[in-house]
Amino acid sequence: MNDEIRAILDGAATPDEKLRALMPAFARALNCERCVMFLRDPETNRGRAVHRWAAAPAFELRRADRGWEAMPATLLDDDPMYAEAMVNPEALYIEDIETAGPALLNAAYEREHFGHRALVHAPVWHEGKMYGILEPSSMTEPRIWSAADKALVAAVQARIGPVVAAFVRADAG
């Protein structure tokens, strides 16, 4: 973990401040054009994506954050990665949405809703519940995720659960 990310996670900032600072720092550390934290309230199954960063306007997440919204009833069928995140805390490393198999992801869904080409789909778990997905993305080109990338993702996943859970509990209240 680099010094900037460690300082963010170790700092005395609020969960909201930590997550806002983490998105650009994490994206830069992974050399990605975008990073989004998709939040989930495990008690109500509502979600939002308030914490996000993009290197350029063209890479911004296409949908606005409208606060806590019910997760679509078809989400588990439409998004195999999300369905996997609900039962498995391990990150998925997608080198190219165009060549990944349909058991892993729904390429049409990814293109329509997210517009990325390669991504890490890193579930954020705390106390046995999934609170969100940390998603750094490469927007235009396929990407091979290195051992160093995977080690950084795992280190951040291991530390971020309590921060994300605290934000969700306070914000979704």
Side-chain angles (χ1 to χ4, degrees):
M1 183 177 313
N2 72 26
D3 291 341
E4 181 182 16
I5 293 172
R6 185 176 289 106
I8 291 166
L9 295 176
D10 289 346
T14 67
D16 181 51
E17 292 166 337
K18 286 183 181 190
L19 293 172
R20 287 185 190 284
L22 181 63
M23 296 303 99
F26 194 56
R28 283 191 301 269
L30 291 170
N31 195 28
C32 290
E33 291 89 14
R34 182 174 75 200
C35 191
V36 178
M37 173 63 74
F38 295 98
L39 300 168
R40 174 181 178 268
D41 180 349
E43 304 306 320
T44 65
N45 201 34
R46 294 181 305 152
R48 73 182 297 194
V50 67
H51 303 102
R52 49 176 93 185
W53 176 86
F59 301 145
E60 291 178 3
L61 189 63
R62 297 180 197 153
R63 65 175 181 226
D65 175 51
R66 295 182 295 272
W68 291 96
E69 298 180 304
M71 301 300 254
T74 60
L75 183 60
L76 296 177
D77 293 326
D78 293 339
D79 188 348
M81 289 188 297
Y82 188 82
E84 180 68 14
M86 291 295 294
V87 297
N88 182 359
E90 297 297 318
L92 299 174
Y93 296 88
I94 309 303
E95 295 180 353
D96 188 349
I97 68 161
E98 300 301 331
T99 59
L104 184 59
L105 63 79
N106 177 342
Y109 180 85
E110 295 298 315
R111 281 191 299 274
E112 177 183 347
H113 293 281
F114 305 110
H116 46 215
R117 185 67 186 263
L119 68 139
V120 176
H121 197 265
V124 178
W125 284 64
H126 182 64
E127 296 178 340
K129 297 177 182 176
M130 201 271 283
Y131 278 88
I133 307 289
L134 179 59
E135 191 175 279
S137 301
S138 290
M139 301 304 293
T140 60
E141 299 292 327
R143 161 82 182 262
I144 296 174
W145 301 98
S146 70
D149 296 335
K150 293 175 182 180
L152 176 58
V153 169
V156 170
Q157 278 182 285
R159 298 271 318 270
I160 197 87
V163 176
V164 173
F167 179 84
V168 168
R169 289 176 186 143
D171 194 64

